[in-house]
Amino acid sequence: MGLGARVVGLRNDACSAEKADDGTLYGWYHLEPGGICPGAHPKAPQMNFTAPKIGAVKSRDKGATWHDLGIVLEAPPLIRCDTKNFYFVGGNGDFSIMLDAQHRWLYFFISTYVGEAPQQGVAIARMRWADRDAPAGTVWKWHEGNW
């Protein structure tokens, strides 16, 4: 799955992929839903506010087609329509993944846009690699010393 690959029916950007031992490709995408905070900045109506989410896909045909596995990381609904950046009003942004050497855990390194500035920045999350075929609800962020 190359950068910029698309999943039919989704507005997204492919960000990361990992190949399983059986040849199945697993990908994770950055989804930017639109229509958040309409009219919040009347002087900049061209801006399309978003609160990004992270979803997963898989392909059994070397990336020719992809099956959407759903959203795996979604931030709390703490939307800040009074933002001054004109882009993000919350959510999880760009990210990278890393599979550990034992193939037990898949780690996500994520930019976050939730809450006040001290709460924003880079976060880490993980899921069991064994959960890759049904990943929704299996990804946990590191927060205050716990997953």
Side-chain angles (χ1 to χ4, degrees):
M1 181 156 110
L3 191 62
R6 299 281 180 196
V7 177
V8 175
L10 294 176
R11 177 179 166 230
N12 63 71
D13 294 307
C15 288
S16 296
E18 188 69 44
K19 186 176 182 180
D21 291 340
D22 69 357
T24 302
L25 294 175
Y26 292 88
W28 290 268
Y29 60 86
H30 171 99
L31 175 68
E32 294 186 357
I36 298 174
C37 303
H41 288 282
K43 292 182 180 177
Q46 73 278 12
M47 297 301 179
N48 187 14
F49 289 115
T50 189
K53 304 174 185 184
I54 297 171
V57 291
K58 80 175 185 178
S59 174
R60 294 184 190 264
D61 57 10
K62 298 180 182 178
T65 59
W66 293 90
H67 173 69
D68 186 25
L69 300 173
I71 299 299
V72 298
L73 273 170
E74 185 170 5
L78 301 172
I79 303 300
R80 293 287 311 263
C81 293
D82 62 343
T83 182
K84 295 182 181 175
N85 72 19
F86 295 118
Y87 301 102
F88 302 109
V89 295
N92 296 305
D94 293 331
F95 66 96
S96 294
I97 60 163
M98 181 182 78
L99 182 61
D100 73 4
Q102 295 79 26
H103 290 201
R104 289 185 56 222
W105 298 101
L106 181 76
Y107 291 91
F108 296 76
F109 302 92
I110 314 150
S111 58
T112 62
Y113 309 111
V114 177
E116 299 298 323
Q119 297 170 301
Q120 298 179 19
V122 178
I124 186 170
R126 73 178 186 177
M127 65 172 262
R128 289 183 331 125
W129 182 238
D131 293 333
R132 64 191 177 270
D133 285 310
T138 68
V139 180
W140 297 95
K141 281 186 180 176
W142 181 258
H143 180 71
E144 296 183 355
N146 294 299
W147 291 106

